[in-house]
Amino acid sequence: MRAIILAAGLGLRLQQPVGEQFPKCLLRFDGVTLLERHLQMLDAAGVDDVVLALGFQPELVEAELKRIGWPHKVEIRLNPRFDLGSVLTVHTVADAMTSGGDVLLMDADVLYDERILSALVADEHTNRLLIDRDFEAGDEPVKLCLKDGVPVELRKQLAVGLEYDTIGESVGFFRLREETAKRFAEIVAGYVDSGRANMPHEEAVRDLLLERSHVFDTADVTGAPWIEIDFPNDVKRATDEILPVLQPLVGAAR
């Protein structure tokens, strides 16, 4: 199983002061960067094949990797047009997406409990989505809608009249089987070739789901704390609300 961590973006919505900007995966909570937390939990879950997609200030992330001293090799892929959408970043790691085995596609800017990752990696050879039914309605969350257990929508804005029986927020992590990852890479390449490289990669995941050519199961992680960090208030919520209720990190990679 291979983990691909998307950490290329500028993080403009975080509103860091000009001249003091840095990749969001280097945000520290209780003295530990998001990147180090990712690696520690992947190590504890038995995932030691990691590809890191970088773009903005990659040298800072590479320096953090050296400081962490994770005992496994981390492959680096660079997206020089990191100012565009995450579809292009995923396209940058297409070789890792299609080189065999299950793939975990993970946003780097998420502070999460180990129960989130445990739900993602459980069982063998499956396509999996994560859903949190306890979410704040609004324009920002990416909604995952199910009907009879089948995904019928994955978007921030839902179409009027959409039929579903379950709705929640999609955690920014996806698990793809080998053949599904290859098809996903083809869809992403189509976005880039047709001039839609500025799109979020969730749109390509949505296309994959709605093709119905690959079966996905959905793990319900409602109650397990997590937060995607996009805005300044998210940093405060992560510190005040999420961090205190996370299960202690185990198997620290030093």
Side-chain angles (χ1 to χ4, degrees):
M1 189 181 299
R2 177 177 304 107
I4 298 176
I5 302 176
L6 305 179
L10 277 161
L12 292 175
R13 294 183 296 178
L14 201 56
Q15 299 176 6
Q16 297 170 325
V18 176
E20 299 179 23
Q21 295 171 305
F22 57 87
K24 287 193 289 182
C25 68
L26 300 184
L27 285 167
R28 291 182 178 273
F29 297 93
D30 197 23
V32 182
T33 62
L34 290 177
L35 177 60
E36 184 171 6
R37 287 180 179 275
H38 272 295
L39 295 179
Q40 288 185 13
M41 283 195 277
L42 287 168
D43 194 25
V47 180
D48 58 15
D49 185 352
V50 175
V51 177
L52 195 56
L54 304 180
F56 177 59
Q57 295 186 334
E59 68 282 357
L60 296 183
V61 182
E62 294 185 52
E64 171 66 0
L65 277 175
K66 291 180 181 179
R67 186 198 68 79
I68 293 169
W70 203 52
H72 312 289
K73 180 182 178 181
V74 177
E75 295 187 32
I76 302 294
R77 300 287 189 277
L78 292 178
N79 173 14
R81 290 304 313 274
F82 54 83
D83 55 315
L84 295 177
S86 55
V87 154
L88 187 58
T89 299
V90 172
H91 188 56
T92 303
V93 297
D95 62 330
M97 188 77 64
T98 59
S99 58
D102 284 10
V103 171
L104 308 179
L105 188 62
M106 311 176 74
D107 286 338
D109 58 352
V110 183
L111 179 66
Y112 60 98
D113 191 86
E114 67 176 3
R115 286 170 283 178
I116 300 286
L117 185 58
S118 295
L120 193 65
V121 303
D123 308 318
E124 293 186 3
H125 307 304
T126 184
N127 298 310
R128 179 161 292 151
L129 310 169
L130 302 179
I131 188 170
D132 184 352
R133 292 178 291 102
D134 183 14
F135 74 105
E136 295 181 6
D139 293 336
E140 188 58 30
V142 176
K143 288 88 173 172
L144 174 58
C145 300
L146 312 176
K147 185 172 177 58
D148 299 324
V150 177
V152 294
E153 187 57 285
L154 180 76
R155 256 187 181 166
K156 291 185 177 182
Q157 301 291 338
L158 301 182
V160 176
L162 177 70
E163 295 186 4
Y164 57 87
D165 52 42
T166 304
I167 184 172
E169 183 173 2
S170 171
V171 180
F173 303 154
F174 307 97
R175 178 174 171 178
L176 307 176
R177 295 180 62 183
E178 180 176 340
E179 63 271 22
T180 309
K182 291 179 179 179
R183 176 58 188 144
F184 179 61
E186 292 174 354
I187 293 173
V188 167
Y191 270 71
V192 175
D193 292 343
S194 61
R196 294 178 291 163
N198 61 330
M199 298 294 288
H201 68 281
E202 289 88 354
E203 282 294 300
V205 176
R206 176 181 184 268
D207 288 352
L208 177 64
L209 295 176
L210 298 185
E211 275 187 353
R212 304 284 192 268
S213 57
H214 298 272
V215 176
F216 278 79
D217 69 32
T218 305
D220 191 330
V221 296
T222 304
W226 70 282
I227 186 170
E228 182 177 6
I229 299 171
D230 288 321
F231 301 99
N233 188 55
D234 294 334
V235 177
K236 178 174 174 52
R237 284 191 58 205
T239 302
D240 296 345
E241 301 175 23
I242 305 299
L243 187 65
V245 294
L246 296 180
Q247 294 184 356
L249 286 170
V250 295
R254 293 289 184 183

